[in-house]
């Protein structure tokens, strides 16, 4: 399988956008403070990623399934923490 | 041009993930409070989206250029506000 330079850029792009949510998961887990985070953003984002996952499965695209699978785990954990810690003051 | 149901799902997915950042832009603009937002997340996300944009231009994909162009505008405005308002207390 011959990977072109532009495909490598695509792989790096996918890695960055997928794992970009990890620092937010860590920060929110540590601080338990979520006031500044938009609930609507993560509701819409999780829904959209879920659709991408369904799309990827339908198209049998390993890349789409993998990247959106990981993104869904990260973004939905932020969403859960946003709901759980919503009424806590800043710690 | 015949659009299949699965392509419609892809379009909806792209719309949701692209515009999901809009509520966060509005919230941050209104509150000017960014403590809970991860700077690293938005640095990595903006970098990844920039690569997707380059990838889309190289592949001459209108869908990738449009979705990532809008996402870049929204996520980079959150990044700029995160840097600008970082030292402000909660208002």
């Amino acid at each position: 399988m011959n990977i072109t330079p532009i495909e490598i850029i695509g792989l790096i792009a996918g890695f960055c956008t997928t794992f970009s949510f990890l620092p937010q998961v860590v920060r929110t887990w540590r601080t338990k403070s979520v006031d500044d985070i938009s609930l609507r953003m993560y509701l819409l984002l999780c829904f959209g990623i879920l659709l991408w996952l369904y799309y990827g499965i339908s198209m049998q695209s390993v890349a789409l399934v993998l990247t959106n699978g990981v993104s869904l785990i990260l973004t939905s954990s932020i969403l859960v923490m946003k709901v759980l810690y919503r009424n806590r003051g800043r710690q």
Side-chain angles (χ1 to χ4, degrees), chain A:
Chain A
M1 195 174 89
N2 189 358
I3 292 195
T4 62
I6 192 64
E7 286 307 323
I8 292 172
I9 285 181
L11 287 171
I12 298 170
F15 181 85
C16 289
T17 46
T18 298
F19 286 96
S20 64
F21 297 101
L22 192 56
Q24 184 68 65
V25 172
V26 170
R27 182 185 188 86
T28 305
W29 176 255
R30 242 182 342 104
T31 64
K32 306 289 193 280
S33 178
V34 290
D35 293 354
D36 301 331
I37 294 172
S38 165
L39 177 64
R40 281 187 211 129
M41 167 177 159
Y42 282 91
L43 283 172
L44 198 52
L45 194 54
C46 287
F47 178 66
I49 293 171
L50 207 59
L51 288 185
W52 274 126
L53 198 53
Y54 178 78
Y55 180 83
I57 292 167
S58 308
M59 305 294 271
Q60 296 177 336
S61 157
V62 174
L64 276 177
V65 171
L66 272 182
T67 49
N68 286 285
V70 172
S71 296
L72 189 60
I73 292 167
L74 295 174
T75 50
S76 51
S77 52
I78 297 169
L79 180 60
V80 166
M81 286 192 279
K82 169 68 181 178
V83 172
L84 285 180
Y85 304 140
R86 209 156 44 159
N87 300 321
R88 283 194 188 203
R90 178 168 301 282
Q91 285 186 348

